[in-house]
Amino acid sequence: MKEALRYLNNAREILKSTPVENGTYIDIKPVREACGTAYLALLIAIDEYLLKKGMSKKDLPRSVDAYRRAIQKHLVVHNGKLLREFEALYEALHIAGYYRGNLYLVDMVKDALKAAKAFVEKIGS
């Protein structure tokens, strides 16, 4: 999970130099970049897990729906909670944060990054 954690650290580094005013990021572009990078960390963690379990690179998921199916099929040891966490992080990081640029409150972004790290660590354990 080193690569996934590296992506999360990169996301945090991007945010360090982003100007903040009254608990809000002023420049949304780096926030979108950080959210996209953190979302990629989730996908990389899932990929690393699947590769470790014997899946070939060519068979790795290529869409969010394929990632959902992979979580359901290969990560059920976490009794369904992992899929709900993935869905929440997908909505927060990828849709709201990266795609729409609607995630700009500092505390919300930090909470999303913490949740992403917890997700990555669960998969790696």
Side-chain angles (χ1 to χ4, degrees), residues 18-70:
T18 306
V20 175
E21 190 173 285
N22 296 324
T24 303
Y25 289 108
I26 296 170
D27 186 1
I28 197 67
K29 183 181 180 287
V31 176
R32 291 177 85 167
E33 183 181 348
C35 288
T37 302
Y39 175 66
L40 287 174
L42 305 179
L43 303 184
I44 289 168
I46 295 167
D47 287 350
E48 289 178 348
Y49 176 87
L50 295 172
L51 289 169
K52 194 168 116 179
K53 293 297 179 184
M55 185 177 283
S56 69
K57 275 192 172 192
K58 71 176 184 74
D59 292 329
L60 289 175
R62 298 197 181 274
S63 69
V64 69
D65 287 331
Y67 276 99
R68 288 176 180 124
R69 286 189 299 273

Side-chain angles (χ1 to χ4, degrees), residues 96-117:
Y98 174 73
Y99 185 68
R100 294 205 171 108
N102 290 336
L103 196 61
Y104 43 79
L105 295 175
V106 173
D107 289 342
M108 290 177 78
V109 173
K110 287 183 178 182
D111 286 346
L113 291 178
K114 284 179 194 172
K117 183 177 183 191

Side-chain angles (χ1 to χ4, degrees), residues 71-72 75-85 122:
I71 291 169
Q72 287 175 322
L75 293 161
V76 291
V77 294
H78 296 285
N79 68 19
K81 291 181 184 179
L82 205 58
L83 183 58
R84 285 191 299 276
E85 288 176 37
K122 280 181 191 175

